[in-house]
mmCIF file of all heavy atoms in Angstrom:
data_model
loop_
_atom_site.group_PDB
_atom_site.id
_atom_site.type_symbol
_atom_site.label_atom_id
_atom_site.label_comp_id
_atom_site.label_asym_id
_atom_site.label_seq_id
_atom_site.Cartn_x
_atom_site.Cartn_y
_atom_site.Cartn_z
ATOM 1 N N ALA A 1109 25.576 2.347 23.316
ATOM 2 C CA ALA A 1109 24.886 2.095 22.027
ATOM 3 C C ALA A 1109 25.583 2.638 20.819
ATOM 4 O O ALA A 1109 25.640 2.013 19.763
ATOM 5 C CB ALA A 1109 23.464 2.659 22.103
ATOM 6 N N ASP A 1127 21.549 4.195 25.775
ATOM 7 C CA ASP A 1127 20.127 3.963 25.973
ATOM 8 C C ASP A 1127 19.755 4.518 27.330
ATOM 9 O O ASP A 1127 20.558 4.445 28.283
ATOM 10 C CB ASP A 1127 19.821 2.456 25.928
ATOM 11 C CG ASP A 1127 19.614 2.042 24.469
ATOM 12 O OD1 ASP A 1127 18.614 2.506 23.894
ATOM 13 O OD2 ASP A 1127 20.432 1.284 23.922
ATOM 14 N N LEU A 1182 19.164 7.816 24.302
ATOM 15 C CA LEU A 1182 18.157 7.169 23.508
ATOM 16 C C LEU A 1182 16.966 6.849 24.402
ATOM 17 O O LEU A 1182 16.799 5.750 24.889
ATOM 18 C CB LEU A 1182 18.745 5.915 22.868
ATOM 19 C CG LEU A 1182 20.130 6.149 22.230
ATOM 20 C CD1 LEU A 1182 20.754 4.834 21.781
ATOM 21 C CD2 LEU A 1182 20.035 7.141 21.073
ATOM 22 N N ARG A 1196 7.819 -4.674 24.743
ATOM 23 C CA ARG A 1196 8.447 -3.431 25.265
ATOM 24 C C ARG A 1196 7.427 -2.475 25.870
ATOM 25 O O ARG A 1196 7.737 -1.294 26.068
ATOM 26 C CB ARG A 1196 9.176 -2.691 24.130
ATOM 27 C CG ARG A 1196 10.349 -3.421 23.626
ATOM 28 C CD ARG A 1196 11.089 -2.642 22.546
ATOM 29 N NE ARG A 1196 12.142 -1.804 23.128
ATOM 30 C CZ ARG A 1196 13.051 -1.158 22.376
ATOM 31 N NH1 ARG A 1196 13.012 -1.243 21.086
ATOM 32 N NH2 ARG A 1196 14.009 -0.442 22.960
ATOM 33 N N LYS A 1229 11.266 8.023 20.470
ATOM 34 C CA LYS A 1229 11.326 6.826 19.646
ATOM 35 C C LYS A 1229 10.109 5.962 19.921
ATOM 36 O O LYS A 1229 9.454 6.169 20.943
ATOM 37 C CB LYS A 1229 12.644 6.059 19.930
ATOM 38 C CG LYS A 1229 12.733 5.494 21.370
ATOM 39 C CD LYS A 1229 14.114 4.886 21.602
ATOM 40 C CE LYS A 1229 14.166 4.160 22.939
ATOM 41 N NZ LYS A 1229 15.497 3.596 23.225
ATOM 42 N N HIS A 1230 9.737 5.024 19.149
ATOM 43 C CA HIS A 1230 10.268 4.604 17.840
ATOM 44 C C HIS A 1230 9.206 4.999 16.833
ATOM 45 O O HIS A 1230 8.158 4.372 16.762
ATOM 46 C CB HIS A 1230 10.497 3.087 17.818
ATOM 47 C CG HIS A 1230 11.351 2.594 18.952
ATOM 48 N ND1 HIS A 1230 10.880 2.169 20.144
ATOM 49 C CD2 HIS A 1230 12.722 2.513 19.024
ATOM 50 C CE1 HIS A 1230 11.865 1.826 20.932
ATOM 51 N NE2 HIS A 1230 13.001 1.981 20.277
ATOM 52 N N ARG A 1240 9.445 -7.707 14.538
ATOM 53 C CA ARG A 1240 9.466 -6.222 14.489
ATOM 54 C C ARG A 1240 10.245 -5.690 13.301
ATOM 55 O O ARG A 1240 10.035 -4.561 12.888
ATOM 56 C CB ARG A 1240 10.028 -5.634 15.797
ATOM 57 C CG ARG A 1240 11.478 -5.966 16.076
ATOM 58 C CD ARG A 1240 11.973 -5.258 17.331
ATOM 59 N NE ARG A 1240 13.236 -5.831 17.801
ATOM 60 C CZ ARG A 1240 14.089 -5.234 18.621
ATOM 61 N NH1 ARG A 1240 13.788 -4.058 19.112
ATOM 62 N NH2 ARG A 1240 15.180 -5.837 18.982
ATOM 63 N N MET A 1273 14.022 8.818 16.577
ATOM 64 C CA MET A 1273 14.448 7.525 16.078
ATOM 65 C C MET A 1273 13.235 6.783 15.476
ATOM 66 O O MET A 1273 12.331 6.444 16.200
ATOM 67 C CB MET A 1273 15.015 6.672 17.218
ATOM 68 C CG MET A 1273 15.628 5.360 16.788
ATOM 69 S SD MET A 1273 15.917 4.224 18.182
ATOM 70 C CE MET A 1273 17.050 5.119 19.186
ATOM 71 N N TYR A 1276 11.778 -0.071 13.728
ATOM 72 C CA TYR A 1276 12.259 -1.102 12.812
ATOM 73 C C TYR A 1276 11.224 -1.421 11.742
ATOM 74 O O TYR A 1276 11.561 -1.911 10.685
ATOM 75 C CB TYR A 1276 12.516 -2.403 13.589
ATOM 76 C CG TYR A 1276 13.796 -2.402 14.377
ATOM 77 C CD1 TYR A 1276 13.768 -2.515 15.753
ATOM 78 C CD2 TYR A 1276 15.005 -2.321 13.721
ATOM 79 C CE1 TYR A 1276 14.950 -2.544 16.481
ATOM 80 C CE2 TYR A 1276 16.196 -2.332 14.430
ATOM 81 C CZ TYR A 1276 16.174 -2.437 15.798
ATOM 82 O OH TYR A 1276 17.342 -2.446 16.512
ATOM 83 N N ASP A 1308 16.953 3.299 13.927
ATOM 84 C CA ASP A 1308 17.160 2.336 14.988
ATOM 85 C C ASP A 1308 18.334 1.434 14.564
ATOM 86 O O ASP A 1308 18.765 1.479 13.424
ATOM 87 C CB ASP A 1308 15.883 1.528 15.253
ATOM 88 C CG ASP A 1308 15.902 0.896 16.663
ATOM 89 O OD1 ASP A 1308 17.006 0.781 17.265
ATOM 90 O OD2 ASP A 1308 14.838 0.571 17.205
ATOM 91 N N TRP A 1309 18.845 0.681 15.516
ATOM 92 C CA TRP A 1309 20.081 -0.064 15.271
ATOM 93 C C TRP A 1309 19.891 -1.225 14.276
ATOM 94 O O TRP A 1309 19.186 -2.177 14.580
ATOM 95 C CB TRP A 1309 20.635 -0.545 16.610
ATOM 96 C CG TRP A 1309 21.519 0.487 17.277
ATOM 97 C CD1 TRP A 1309 22.779 0.263 17.731
ATOM 98 C CD2 TRP A 1309 21.213 1.868 17.557
ATOM 99 N NE1 TRP A 1309 23.309 1.451 18.250
ATOM 100 C CE2 TRP A 1309 22.366 2.447 18.169
ATOM 101 C CE3 TRP A 1309 20.117 2.689 17.338
ATOM 102 C CZ2 TRP A 1309 22.430 3.782 18.532
ATOM 103 C CZ3 TRP A 1309 20.191 4.020 17.715
ATOM 104 C CH2 TRP A 1309 21.329 4.551 18.320
ATOM 105 N N SER A 1435 17.546 -3.441 25.527
ATOM 106 C CA SER A 1435 18.526 -2.358 25.508
ATOM 107 C C SER A 1435 18.290 -1.314 26.593
ATOM 108 O O SER A 1435 19.192 -0.586 26.957
ATOM 109 C CB SER A 1435 18.497 -1.681 24.111
ATOM 110 O OG SER A 1435 17.193 -1.251 23.827
ATOM 111 N N MET A 1452 20.428 -8.961 19.406
ATOM 112 C CA MET A 1452 21.447 -8.486 18.480
ATOM 113 C C MET A 1452 22.853 -8.872 18.913
ATOM 114 O O MET A 1452 23.766 -8.082 18.937
ATOM 115 C CB MET A 1452 21.355 -6.965 18.338
ATOM 116 C CG MET A 1452 20.039 -6.526 17.794
ATOM 117 S SD MET A 1452 19.846 -4.744 17.728
ATOM 118 C CE MET A 1452 19.644 -4.337 19.439
ATOM 119 N N GLU A 1509 12.581 -6.690 25.341
ATOM 120 C CA GLU A 1509 12.726 -6.290 23.945
ATOM 121 C C GLU A 1509 12.933 -7.562 23.089
ATOM 122 O O GLU A 1509 13.613 -8.478 23.534
ATOM 123 C CB GLU A 1509 13.910 -5.354 23.810
ATOM 124 C CG GLU A 1509 14.156 -4.903 22.413
ATOM 125 C CD GLU A 1509 15.339 -3.904 22.345
ATOM 126 O OE1 GLU A 1509 15.737 -3.363 23.404
ATOM 127 O OE2 GLU A 1509 15.828 -3.682 21.242
HETATM 128 C C1 BGC B 2867 16.295 -0.498 20.242
HETATM 129 C C2 BGC B 2867 16.435 0.967 20.497
HETATM 130 C C3 BGC B 2867 17.768 1.223 21.142
HETATM 131 C C4 BGC B 2867 18.861 0.688 20.258
HETATM 132 C C5 BGC B 2867 20.280 0.904 20.791
HETATM 133 C C6 BGC B 2867 17.474 -1.090 19.483
HETATM 134 O O1 BGC B 2867 17.363 -2.442 19.499
HETATM 135 O O2 BGC B 2867 15.104 -0.733 19.473
HETATM 136 O O3 BGC B 2867 15.393 1.404 21.313
HETATM 137 O O4 BGC B 2867 17.919 2.562 21.410
HETATM 138 O O5 BGC B 2867 18.662 -0.688 20.086
HETATM 139 O O6 BGC B 2867 20.541 0.111 21.864
#
Side-chain angles (χ1 to χ4, degrees):
D1127 275 294
L1182 313 173
R1196 293 183 92 170
K1229 65 187 188 181
H1230 306 91
R1240 64 176 166 162
M1273 186 194 300
Y1276 283 117
D1308 202 339
W1309 273 234
S1435 55
M1452 299 176 287
E1509 179 177 345

